[in-house]
Amino acid sequence: MNISEITGQRRPIGYWIKHLHGLVESSLDGLLAGQGLTRRHWQVLNVVATDSPTLADLDAALAPFLDDRQPSLRPVADDLRERGWLEGEERPTLTAAGIRAHEELRRQVNADRARLTEGISAEEYLTTIDVLTRMSANLTGPTKPAKPAANV
């Protein structure tokens, strides 16, 4: 199946996924940078606000975002502790200032996400997530015999 023939689009899904990913990252980075924060700061605050993780739990929960340059979130947690938003060494928790900061950031992040889905119904959004999930499963599931390549 040649997707471009079906949709009339010259650009395949890979283009749009990468393009959208860049736009989402850029939008969130811009929102956070104005406050001297990174996406990792937001992620750590959000995980700590909804769970009671150890630093090892944080690293495990956010492992897809770690790499050789940033093998652990300990420096991010240390920075949040220096800001007065976290307390505790191995099992950080939000301080009162951290709770306020998280609530304000959550409000801003939610507004940014709402802008992303503006004009898209809940049904369309859920369908998109379902399709992307199945496409991912197609590529990560059991190996299947090769079929003719589609222009995807």
Side-chain angles (χ1 to χ4, degrees):
M1 165 174 69
N2 186 326
I3 299 299
S4 63
E5 291 173 5
I6 294 170
T7 65
Q9 294 289 322
R10 292 183 181 263
R11 293 186 172 139
I13 192 168
Y15 168 85
W16 291 111
I17 290 172
K18 187 169 182 75
H19 181 69
L20 180 59
H21 175 75
L23 291 172
V24 169
E25 290 285 308
S26 178
S27 183
L28 184 58
D29 288 348
L31 182 146
L32 297 171
Q35 299 172 58
L37 300 170
T38 66
R39 185 174 188 176
R40 299 308 155 250
H41 286 101
W42 163 247
Q43 290 170 320
V44 168
L45 277 174
N46 206 37
V47 170
V48 171
T50 58
D51 201 359
S52 180
T54 64
L55 285 175
D57 294 335
L58 277 172
D59 285 347
L62 299 172
F65 303 101
L66 299 176
D67 56 28
D68 291 341
R69 292 176 303 164
Q70 186 177 28
S72 172
L73 292 162
R74 180 177 292 275
V76 175
D78 290 344
D79 183 59
L80 292 170
R81 197 175 295 106
E82 289 173 21
R83 291 170 185 259
W85 294 357
L86 291 182
E87 59 189 1
E89 288 291 321
E90 289 304 312
R91 188 176 294 277
T93 58
L94 294 179
T95 63
I99 291 168
R100 287 189 303 276
H102 176 257
E103 286 298 316
E104 176 58 22
L105 286 171
R106 186 174 66 179
R107 186 189 63 71
Q108 293 175 27
V109 168
N110 286 345
D112 194 54
R113 289 178 180 162
R115 187 171 67 113
L116 170 69
T117 58
E118 195 171 297
I120 298 168
S121 71
E123 182 180 345
E124 288 172 314
Y125 181 83
L126 291 173
T127 297
T128 301
I129 296 301
D130 181 56
V131 168
L132 292 172
T133 301
R134 286 184 285 141
M135 291 173 96
S136 295
N138 288 343
L139 295 177
T140 59
T143 305
K144 297 177 183 171
K147 293 183 180 180
N151 185 14
V152 180

